[in-house]
Amino acid sequence: MAFDNTTTIIGNITADPELHFGATGTARCTFSIAWNQKRREGEDEVHYFRVTAWGDLAENAAESFRKGNRVWVYGRLNHSKWDTPNGEKRSAVEVSAEDAGLSVRWRPANVSETGSVGSRSAPQMPEPQVPDYEPF
C-alpha cells in the first residue's frame, strides 16, 4: 500500500536556524515555523512546526534563513508522543524537510552569489581541446 505524508508549510521563522554537525560530519539544521490560522471570531490561532533539514539543504538553510523570514518548507510529517518526567502527555509534529525557500509573496528576496566562504558555485569545466585539423 502506498502512503504519501508529504506537506508544504508556509510561515515565519521564530528564531535563527541552528546548524549542527554529527560525528560523521553530516549537517543538521533545525528551526521552527509559526503559522497563523484565522478564526471566524477574528482571533488568530498560532500553530508551531519544528523543521529539520539534513546535508546541503541544512547548510544552505542555516546560511540563508533568519528569524522573521517568511519561508516555505516541503517535506514529510513526523508525529511524536512522549510523557514528561511529571507524567504529562506531550506530542509534537515535526517536518523533515526535503526542500525549502524564501517566500516572495509580500516581499522580494535578495539573492546573490557572493563567493564568500560557505557559498557554493558550479564547478568550472575545462575548455574542450580542438584539434588543428578536421578529423573527418
Side-chain angles (χ1 to χ4, degrees), residues 3 31 34 42 100 112 118 120 136:
F3 184 76
F31 56 94
S112 65
R120 298 180 183 194
F136 307 112

Side-chain angles (χ1 to χ4, degrees), residues 72-83:
W72 59 266
V73 174
Y74 173 80
R76 295 180 318 275
L77 287 176
N78 297 319
H79 184 253
S80 303
K81 293 181 181 181
W82 68 94
D83 293 329

